[in-house]
Amino acid sequence: MALLTFSDKGFYCPPGDFYIDPWRQVNKAVITHAHSDHARYGHRQYIAQQDSVPLLKLRLGSFIQATGYPYGTTFSIRGVKVSFHPAAHVLGAAQVRLEYKGEVWVVTGDYKLAPDPLAGSFEPVPCHTFITECTFGLPIYQWPEPTQVFTEINDWWRENQEEGRTSILSAYSLGKAQRILCSVDAGIGPIYAHGAIENTHDVIRQMGIALPKTERITDKTNKKDLTGALVLTPSSGMASNWIRRFADPVTAAASGWMMVRGNRRRQSVDRGFVLSDHVDWNALNTVIGELHPEKIYVTHGFTDLFARWLQDQGYDADVVRTEYSGENEEPLEEVTG
Amino acid sequence: MKRFAFLYRQMDQTTSTNRKLQALVDYFQAAEHQDALWTIALFSHRRPRRTVTTTLLRLWAAESAGIPLWLFEASYDMVGDLAEAIALVTPPPERSETLRTLKDWIRFMQELKDVDEEAKRKAILEAWSQLEQDERFLFNKLLTGGFRIGVSQKMVTKALAQVLAMDENAVAHRLMGDWTPDNTTWDALFQSDSALDDHSKPYPFYLAYALEGAPEDLGALSEWAAERKWDGIRGQYIHRGDTWFLWSRGEELVTDKFPELETLMKIIPPGTVLDGEIMPWKEDKPLPFADLQKRIGRKNVSKRLMIDIPVIFKAYDLLEWQGKDLRERPYQERRALLDPIIEAIPPGYPIRLSPMVPAGSWEELTTIRSRAREEHCEGLMLKRMDSAYGTGRKKGDWWKWKIDPLTIDAVMIYAQRGHGRRASLFTDFTFAVLDGEQLIPFTKAYSGLTDAEFDEVNAFIRRNTLDRFGPVAVVKPELVFEIAFEGIQASSRHKSGIALRFPRIKRWRKDKLRKEANTFQDLQEMLEQYG
């Protein structure tokens, strides 16, 4: 019996009668992480890794009914054993492990292999059936060392500062923004953040997690104070009038899509840094090679191509259609502000 | 190669003109002359000859990356640029090569010309295994010959002028002509007098800006000369010593494409350089531009083609006369010399004067301009009477004053993915007009939308694709766009029977429904009126 079926509402677990990251309203939703394409509005009950809960409430409203569990703790839903395991994607992001009558399935959600300052390190979870994202499942996506990228970001910031300019870096507000904040050299100058990012920071700090100092940009922020500063913004800020308040801004984006020159230019930013919270080609193949699951389903991204590649390698691999943003690393919330 | 890659990264990583310029200056100061010369050559479209086919490169890229060919091809589709796709999939170097510079790698490529396929394969795989990602990309760019980078010739000229402590115009002039790093040296190009003795060397073309405001803003009409804006190829005719040369604006030597102009040597004395337009011309009337394209497209110009599509040189400026450079002299003085020279030429020679267009007032000139389409012109050129013949594009003295384009509202029916930086987006669109219930495709058009509109159109296409043929998506025929174009011609090569000149999307008519688009009948009427 299949532990999960693929319905038009999302992944459904028949014995447990719950969904994982459903995109239509359901009674019981197990959520891999708080990005809005995985955590939608309107479910009656949310179950997530415990660090995800405050983030879900921030994004979906404090009224939602949400239950949190730490990583590695097994709980039961109608006899199905469920546990969360680090996915290293963003704070609270989890792979969901399901076990029922000796059969084990893992849904990765989004994940990366590089350790994350807030999201920890990815944990490979042995399973019979592995449902993996493959947002960047093509061999053109091979990430450079993150430390090298942060050196580039530091150099870029310093250089702009020397010219008396403001460095504006777009990064999505949950995950990438904190990853950058915790990894750049805060000694270079002050770091400011767009309201949407700062709201996330407030919640994270309330959870007792220390973040480097940031200043919220408000209408009262003095232009002069921003000279030489680093400003973190969701990309929606980059496209709006918001950016006009800065004196002589230099813009950049940090994303896996920046791997390809054409995308760098189309972003109409001055600079693109290759920094992703998803697995790249090599990482995908490493994880799958290590787990060697009996059955693989691939979701959002270059699914058809990646499934064919896996089949060529002798795996039993298929594509599952989902409504996660896949091709667009930007979670939906960024579009609405 | 490290230094060249560093220059490339600097140019790629900034949009600031000043920083780009500084990067070029730094590079030219530090680089060996022969490397610098190759850099200039690459920035001015002088590419080394291709020695390996792209088919083989794809095969070897897949081999080097350890992936099947179909996966490489899919990756290439996504990137849209072969050189870049290869650089991205091939593994990082085991040991990075530091010794070979740009010129060495180019020689390395040139030496592959006469070796067999297996030797080529070995050499290319060896090269990839020694180069860092950026360097692999540049090496591949050199191999595939499509080297384009966001650097204008003007910026290169400016940087060189700084480094050489020379006048910018003088540098621009020295950079013209058919030199390659294989047939010249840094000193020969920039220092020696003999560089300018080269009979073939053209002058840099002076380019006009489009007039945006009202012509009245230019001041008194008496200070301006008007002439027609011809729809041909800008060209420079050179007769020096006992040879002649014809250069196109793209700095391409096109002498061989237009052999009928050789006869001009008989009546135009040596030591003459003319600026003008190469025009397809029959029965004292211009032929459509599309006819000229047929001539350019052919490798060999047949007798037949020369009879069907004869060309003339429409002269409008005199840059050199009796071996003397006249470019600093005022325009009216140059014209005063030019007009009698051309008018004195007996009929039958393939040369005409582009006459000045006299007018008493700006209003009168505006009226004349509005009739340009009947005269088979694109509008008028306005040149300041006392202007020198400058270098490149400079605002102020020369203006092109084009007529407003023709427009038609059409329905989008197909969309195709772009290349290069737009590989992941639908960028090429096909449009149709209505014929009863049917849709008749009549043109393709590219840009013209804002980034936001562009994204919106792409989102629509993704949601409303009815069918797919390879890279082409059949789109639900719903969106109406205003298509602007410069001219319309009957064409047997197109299904609709018409061909448009310079079609582009003018704006998205969100206010219009499909049934409100123009009809095939409307298009036919335009053809009758303006074709």
Side-chain angles (χ1 to χ4, degrees), chain B residues 157-426:
Chain B
T157 309
K158 207 166 172 177
L160 284 168
Q162 246 184 66
V163 172
L164 294 158
M166 273 170 74
D167 175 57
E168 243 177 83
N169 291 339
V171 173
H173 190 193
R174 282 173 181 269
L175 288 178
M176 299 291 286
D178 64 349
W179 63 270
T180 76
D182 288 327
N183 66 19
T184 191
T185 64
W186 180 268
D187 288 343
L189 194 65
F190 294 113
Q191 254 96 51
S192 80
D193 294 333
S194 64
L196 298 179
D197 291 345
D198 173 2
H199 278 166
S200 74
K201 202 175 253 317
Y203 293 106
F205 283 91
Y206 187 30
L207 307 174
Y209 267 94
L211 185 66
E212 308 275 358
E216 285 82 2
D217 296 344
L218 296 177
L221 178 60
S222 58
E223 287 172 25
W224 292 88
E227 49 179 281
R228 298 225 146 74
K229 183 174 183 336
W230 302 100
D231 191 12
I233 295 173
R234 180 91 181 267
Q236 203 172 121
Y237 170 87
I238 296 173
H239 181 187
R240 288 180 186 138
D242 54 1
T243 49
W244 73 288
F245 304 91
L246 189 65
W247 290 91
S248 74
R249 207 202 95 179
E251 268 184 67
E252 206 182 331
L253 197 54
V254 291
T255 318
D256 298 341
K257 306 260 181 203
F258 305 103
E260 61 257 70
L261 299 187
E262 180 163 359
T263 171
L264 294 178
M265 286 198 4
K266 288 187 222 153
I267 35 103
I268 291 172
T272 306
V273 177
L274 301 171
D275 183 14
E277 201 88 357
I278 304 161
M279 300 275 301
W281 195 269
K282 209 173 192 177
E283 288 153 13
D284 227 28
K285 249 186 12 211
L287 292 170
F289 184 81
D291 286 342
L292 191 56
Q293 279 175 318
K294 286 180 205 158
R295 291 237 3 201
I296 308 162
R298 295 292 160 78
K299 229 178 189 148
N300 297 307
V301 183
S302 66
K303 279 237 164 64
R304 180 80 241 160
L305 198 57
M306 283 165 64
I307 291 166
D308 288 348
I309 308 167
V311 300
I312 60 147
F313 191 79
K314 199 91 174 152
Y316 42 68
D317 213 329
L318 183 62
L319 309 186
E320 183 177 309
W321 180 243
Q322 294 172 343
K324 268 214 298 276
D325 181 351
L326 300 184
R327 292 178 300 157
E328 286 305 311
R329 308 268 277 274
Y331 180 64
Q332 54 186 346
E333 222 179 292
R334 300 197 305 272
R335 281 299 298 227
L337 267 170
L338 172 74
D339 288 18
I341 296 167
I342 305 296
E343 278 161 2
I345 294 173
Y349 282 97
I351 189 164
R352 301 282 183 286
L353 188 67
S354 171
M356 305 264 231
V357 178
S361 65
W362 285 117
E363 292 86 67
E364 191 186 341
L365 210 51
T366 306
T367 313
I368 294 172
R369 165 180 166 269
S370 68
R371 290 199 305 263
R373 208 161 259 127
E374 296 154 37
E375 309 264 355
H376 306 280
C377 295
E378 295 183 299
L380 294 172
M381 293 295 303
L382 300 173
K383 295 176 181 173
R384 198 185 281 279
M385 286 284 195
D386 61 4
S387 60
Y389 189 92
T391 301
R393 213 182 280 276
K394 218 183 91 202
K395 247 185 185 139
D397 286 341
W398 284 23
W399 298 96
K400 41 188 177 187
W401 189 24
K402 288 213 214 176
I403 30 171
D404 298 330
L406 297 165
T407 63
I408 194 160
D409 292 336
V411 186
M412 177 186 292
I413 55 168
Y414 307 129
Q416 192 172 344
R417 283 186 190 277
H419 286 282
R421 71 189 196 98
R422 307 187 124 184
S424 57
L425 294 161
F426 292 101

Side-chain angles (χ1 to χ4, degrees), chain A residues 30-246:
Chain A
V30 173
I31 302 295
T32 60
H33 64 288
H35 276 156
S36 49
D37 55 332
H38 290 260
R40 308 265 180 150
Y41 291 93
H43 308 313
R44 195 164 289 166
Q45 195 193 352
Y46 293 81
I47 300 167
Q49 199 279 337
Q50 61 185 16
D51 291 341
S52 256
V53 174
L55 299 166
L56 289 170
K57 292 197 166 179
L58 166 71
R59 293 171 159 240
L60 304 174
S62 53
F63 53 83
I64 60 163
Q65 200 213 319
T67 315
Y69 293 94
Y71 290 122
T73 299
T74 305
F75 53 99
S76 170
I77 306 179
R78 287 179 48 168
V80 178
K81 286 186 203 160
V82 185
S83 54
F84 293 122
H85 302 267
H89 178 56
V90 299
L91 178 62
Q95 308 171 73
V96 181
R97 179 185 185 275
L98 307 177
E99 185 180 343
Y100 187 66
K101 292 184 180 167
E103 178 84 7
V104 178
W105 289 41
V106 167
V107 177
T108 64
D110 295 337
Y111 65 110
K112 68 172 176 280
L113 283 203
D116 185 280
L118 296 190
S121 296
F122 174 84
E123 176 196 327
V125 181
C127 54
H128 300 103
T129 300
F130 188 57
I131 303 179
T132 177
E133 64 134 329
C134 64
T135 308
F136 292 103
L138 275 186
I140 52 175
Y141 299 107
Q142 302 183 32
W143 307 149
E145 276 298 317
T147 48
Q148 181 200 322
V149 178
F150 290 117
T151 306
E152 284 174 22
I153 295 177
N154 287 333
D155 290 347
W156 168 79
W157 179 12
R158 217 176 273 119
E159 212 175 288
N160 296 333
Q161 193 178 54
E162 280 162 17
E163 294 181 8
R165 304 178 72 182
T166 310
S167 303
I168 303 184
L169 182 54
S170 86
Y172 47 76
S173 53
L174 170 58
K176 191 82 56 85
Q178 293 86 50
R179 187 179 180 198
I180 292 169
L181 176 62
C182 296
S183 308
V184 292
D185 178 358
I188 296 174
I191 302 174
Y192 284 76
H194 184 281
I197 292 180
E198 204 50 23
N199 290 345
T200 308
H201 288 173
D202 287 347
V203 172
I204 293 174
R205 286 181 179 122
Q206 279 162 25
M207 292 162 71
I209 297 172
L211 291 176
K213 190 170 177 298
T214 46
E215 297 275 351
R216 180 187 291 264
I217 299 230
T218 66
D219 291 339
K220 295 190 187 74
T221 306
N222 193 337
K223 231 180 203 186
K224 265 190 287 175
D225 296 341
L226 293 169
T227 304
L230 174 68
V231 179
L232 299 173
T233 172
S235 67
S236 55
M238 211 66 117
S240 69
N241 282 336
W242 192 78
I243 189 119
R244 299 216 184 117
R245 71 176 70 200
F246 302 107

